[in-house]
Amino acid sequence: MDFLVENGLLVDADFSEDEFFIDRLAQVKHSKVRVNHLRLVLTEKCNYNCTYCFESPKKLEGELDWDSLRKALELLIRHNKDAKDKGIHIHFFGGEPLLKFDIIQRSVDYVDSNKGDLIPKYHITTNGSLIDDDKVGYFKKHNFRVGVSLDGPREVNDMNRRFSDGRSTFEVSLKGFNLLKSNEVENFILITPSEATLNNLDKICRWAVLELKPDSLTVNRPQYDYGWGVNGKLFSEKMKSVLLFCEKEGIKLNSPASQVVSALKYQSTALRTCASDFDTATLVVTADGRLGYCTIYFGRDIFDETLRSRKDLDSESLQNWFSRSVLDNESCRDCIAVFICGGICPMQSMKRHANCGQLVNDPEKCSFFKDFTEWAVRTLV
Amino acid sequence: MKSKGKDQRVMGRNFKLSPFVRIFDKGDGCILFHRTYLSIYSCDKELKKLLKCFEKSQAICPDNLGKSVMA
């Protein structure tokens, strides 16, 4: 009895669930978030034309100008200079970011010259097609973590990932990845599930681990449009198999499934939406020089904060954005995954309903997190 | 986790199962999951019996628990 009470499993008969949530919500509203990670959309251009890409339908060709990029880096450094944790993360993204390799080099030079005692970590997500010996040498010298998007064996990869003229991208991406591997650059393979590939996701991941031997494997969240676009229950089933396989092979897995496992393992409660990780957060800088309050880049149309006029990364609107909580939505309060999934995605709500104040569940995302969390609880004990 | 019987500190107070706790059957025992603390406990069959009493009832004072568990 004593144990049950001490660990909150039994509560006093007059315990109020509402008061508990109000108290937790107040914790979120009154704590500040520090931005220690920028995702920089260097260009919207790409030499591939992947079917699921958020850029494809819009045919945008914007490129981030140096003045805006330098300003973003300057603000990131200034925003973190007094932080206890000296780590900052700079993630080059696109389109295909290696189309702007000169800008990447200029950015790294700028950060290295101005970082003070901060410790920058550079990341890049690329299709791998433009990786050559020179770039590999550069990545190695500057300790980059390089992710190559490759969706599986040729027949699977080429279902969604092709050049604009329809040619296969498989060999080209694979060649780039192998150059990273042979030169021991920190790497990962990024697999994006889609409705067409979901049935074989477990086999695809096994293939990637056994054939490509990446340092780690990332299974993307299904690409947002007006929802996850894949069956959440089936995605959960497949990820159970992928997770167990990666554990057996001793390979690190990043995915919505590992988000659940990590939360349970470390009892790290997600009180805010998934856009922020406890007290730190990622911002995206769009190709037209605006700030977006989300790790995930949804295309430029969703953002309205212009970077050039900013004096600090921090702002009232930023703190308001990150004060959103899973508990803002009544429909989440009874869910088994309430403090794991980050709740309703305000970005996705904005995409679907043109109003991020109106938070609406994505049933497939909910289905995934509920099913996977219950399985993980039963399995991990 | 095993049931240790009634503790002096909980005597005379009324308790209910936390609304944040989910109980999953597992053979003779069960798994307890606290969905706000994200804590997981494996329970033996004695504790499972005890928890069943709390599941059935709005609130229980441990003083009256002995009979329920035995029943």
Side-chain angles (χ1 to χ4, degrees):
Chain A
M1 276 293 293
D2 192 37
F3 182 89
L4 295 173
V5 173
E6 275 182 8
N7 289 285
L9 302 166
L10 292 180
V11 290
D12 276 311
D14 58 356
F15 173 86
S16 162
E17 192 177 343
D18 281 346
E19 278 175 29
F20 178 89
F21 279 132
I22 288 164
D23 181 57
R24 284 292 174 102
L25 197 52
Q27 285 178 30
V28 176
K29 304 291 180 197
H30 292 113
S31 62
K32 286 193 86 174
V33 163
R34 178 172 60 89
V35 178
N36 68 345
H37 190 147
L38 285 184
R39 179 174 282 193
L40 305 163
V41 181
L42 299 183
T43 177
E44 289 164 330
K45 292 178 185 169
C46 188
N47 53 344
Y48 285 13
N49 187 25
C50 305
T51 54
Y52 49 61
C53 183
F54 40 73
E55 298 285 20
S56 294
K58 297 170 195 143
K59 304 286 179 203
L60 296 172
E61 299 208 322
E63 294 189 336
L64 185 57
D65 67 281
W66 171 246
D67 284 346
S68 297
L69 178 50
R70 187 196 50 74
K71 183 73 179 284
L73 297 170
E74 179 193 328
L75 293 178
L76 179 70
I77 290 168
R78 194 190 308 161
H79 187 67
N80 285 277
K81 67 178 172 28
D82 296 326
K84 273 188 194 164
D85 173 10
K86 295 298 174 191
I88 54 170
H89 297 268
I90 294 145
H91 184 170
F92 299 104
F93 201 69
E96 171 46 50
L98 286 180
L99 288 169
K100 304 297 292 178
F101 188 58
D102 55 332
I103 293 290
I104 293 173
Q105 291 172 297
R106 201 172 174 187
S107 303
V108 170
D109 285 349
Y110 179 84
V111 172
D112 284 351
S113 302
N114 293 281
K115 65 183 187 214
D117 61 350
L118 293 173
I119 304 164
K121 174 71 183 172
Y122 301 104
H123 310 254
I124 185 166
T125 302
T126 169
N127 61 34
S129 63
L130 300 174
I131 293 175
D132 57 21
D133 287 331
D134 287 346
K135 294 188 182 77
V136 163
Y138 186 82
F139 293 148
K140 191 149 176 76
K141 182 180 174 191
H142 293 280
N143 194 26
F144 268 63
R145 180 170 182 261
V146 184
V148 174
S149 301
L150 190 70
D151 280 354
R154 178 194 298 277
E155 65 279 11
V156 177
N157 180 74
D158 291 349
M159 286 168 77
N160 290 315
R161 302 183 61 80
R162 286 186 175 268
F163 284 106
S164 301
D165 60 7
R167 278 178 300 131
S168 165
T169 62
F170 178 75
E171 294 292 346
V172 181
S173 291
L174 188 60
K175 187 179 168 197
F177 178 75
N178 284 335
L179 258 180
L180 297 170
K181 277 290 296 174
S182 57
N183 287 279
E184 297 178 332
V185 174
E186 186 181 352
N187 62 75
F188 66 94
I189 286 288
L190 173 64
I191 290 173
T192 300
S194 68
E195 198 64 41
T197 60
L198 189 61
N199 267 324
N200 292 312
L201 184 61
D202 46 350
K203 291 180 197 140
I204 292 166
C205 290
R206 271 188 214 123
W207 172 87
V209 169
L210 296 175
E211 294 295 320
L212 306 181
K213 298 183 171 53
D215 292 342
S216 62
L217 177 71
T218 298
V219 178
N220 228 342
R221 283 171 179 250
Q223 292 301 284
Y224 289 90
D225 190 1
Y226 292 96
W228 266 27
V230 302
N231 181 308
K233 180 79 165 52
L234 183 57
F235 185 42
S236 170
E237 289 303 323
K238 295 296 173 183
M239 287 313 298
K240 293 170 192 172
S241 166
V242 173
L243 183 91
L244 293 175
F245 175 74
C246 286
E247 278 187 359
K248 184 167 79 72
E249 293 295 320
I251 185 163
K252 183 171 164 45
L253 173 69
N254 295 303
S255 67
S258 23
Q259 177 187 341
V260 175
V261 173
S262 176
L264 294 174
K265 188 172 175 186
Y266 299 108
Q267 296 183 359
S268 51
T269 312
L271 284 170
R272 302 179 198 277
T273 62
C274 71
S276 66
D277 180 14
F278 304 104
D279 61 342
T280 58
T282 302
L283 296 188
V284 66
V285 178
T286 63
D288 61 344
R290 287 182 286 172
L291 280 176
Y293 302 149
C294 183
T295 315
I296 297 168
Y297 174 54
F298 285 83
R300 61 159 86 163
D301 54 330
I302 210 159
F303 306 114
D304 58 2
E305 290 262 343
T306 306
L307 191 59
R308 286 185 197 177
S309 57
R310 296 289 286 268
K311 292 192 171 64
D312 193 345
L313 277 184
D314 204 357
S315 70
E316 193 181 340
S317 58
L318 180 140
Q319 293 299 337
N320 282 342
W321 181 270
F322 288 120
S323 72
R324 290 166 188 281
S325 167
V326 289
L327 301 175
D328 283 323
N329 196 284
E330 292 282 342
S331 66
C332 291
R333 289 188 177 188
D334 196 40
C335 177
I336 188 170
V338 59
F339 287 150
I340 293 176
C341 80
I344 299 172
C345 172
M347 280 289 185
Q348 197 180 346
S349 288
M350 191 190 265
K351 282 285 277 187
R352 294 165 76 196
H353 305 283
N355 177 5
C356 67
Q358 182 196 353
L359 297 175
V360 181
N361 278 317
D362 173 355
E364 299 305 338
K365 181 185 166 193
C366 289
S367 169
F368 169 82
F369 276 103
K370 284 177 182 172
D371 186 75
F372 195 87
T373 300
E374 183 170 332
W375 174 82
V377 167
R378 289 174 181 272
T379 308
L380 293 176
V381 69
Chain B
M1 188 173 75
K2 292 191 172 189
S3 170
K4 292 175 186 167
K6 287 176 269 185
D7 187 283
Q8 291 302 314
R9 279 175 288 180
V10 298
M11 301 302 276
R13 288 163 65 187
N14 282 325
F15 290 98
K16 65 181 179 184
L17 198 61
S18 166
F20 307 127
V21 168
R22 295 285 170 89
I23 302 174
F24 300 107
D25 261 334
K26 192 175 185 182
D28 278 350
C30 65
I31 293 165
L32 278 180
F33 174 56
H34 195 294
R35 64 190 177 84
T36 65
Y37 300 146
L38 306 186
S39 46
I40 306 171
Y41 306 96
S42 183
C43 303
D44 64 5
K45 68 178 174 189
E46 288 304 310
L47 194 55
K48 184 177 172 181
K49 271 192 214 166
L50 179 68
L51 289 164
K52 288 284 175 200
C53 299
F54 280 98
E55 266 193 318
K56 284 179 200 159
S57 182
Q58 272 303 97
I60 298 178
C61 176
D63 306 14
N64 306 322
L65 205 54
K67 289 178 214 160
S68 312
V69 177
M70 294 301 287

